[in-house]
Amino acid sequence: MFGSVFQMRPKAGMAQQLRDTMMSPDRRPAGMVTAYLLTEGGDASVWGLAVFESEAAYRANAADPAQDQHYQAFRALLESDPEWHDGAIQQRAE
């Protein structure tokens, strides 16, 4: 698996709209396993985790024009660009 941990700082009053935009059921990229958001409430930073089946699926999503449209929609709600940390995801055995 491959993915990204990211931090976003919503503009004042935009935190709920950001969460709604990020977690919209209308957009499910090919190869995405799951996505999570961690919020502290209010306009505090929002942390996210996006998990893909493979690095190839992750990179294909990043190059998809539909993903850029989605990015532009949520970027408009942020104070600055998100902070991204991409890499291989290790899962503990059950």
Side-chain angles (χ1 to χ4, degrees):
M1 289 185 287
F2 194 89
S4 185
V5 174
F6 51 94
Q7 180 183 21
M8 303 176 290
R9 290 180 181 84
K11 291 179 180 175
M14 295 289 132
Q16 184 61 52
Q17 187 174 347
L18 174 63
R19 290 188 292 269
D20 293 346
T21 300
M22 293 295 297
M23 300 307 282
S24 171
D26 298 337
R27 173 111 174 95
R28 178 74 178 204
M32 178 177 264
V33 175
T34 192
Y36 298 97
L37 288 181
L38 181 141
T39 60
E40 297 173 339
D43 290 329
S45 290
V46 175
W47 289 83
L49 172 66
V51 180
F52 284 78
E53 296 169 351
S54 65
E55 184 174 357
Y58 178 86
R59 302 281 179 213
N61 178 62
D64 185 344
Q67 176 59 23
D68 184 60
Q69 288 179 335
H70 182 65
Y71 173 78
Q72 296 304 325
F74 74 76
R75 175 58 184 91
L77 305 171
L78 302 178
E79 289 288 336
S80 59
D81 289 340
E83 178 183 320
W84 305 99
H85 301 277
D86 303 339
I89 297 173
Q90 306 298 312
Q91 183 176 9
R92 184 178 63 163
E94 297 296 323

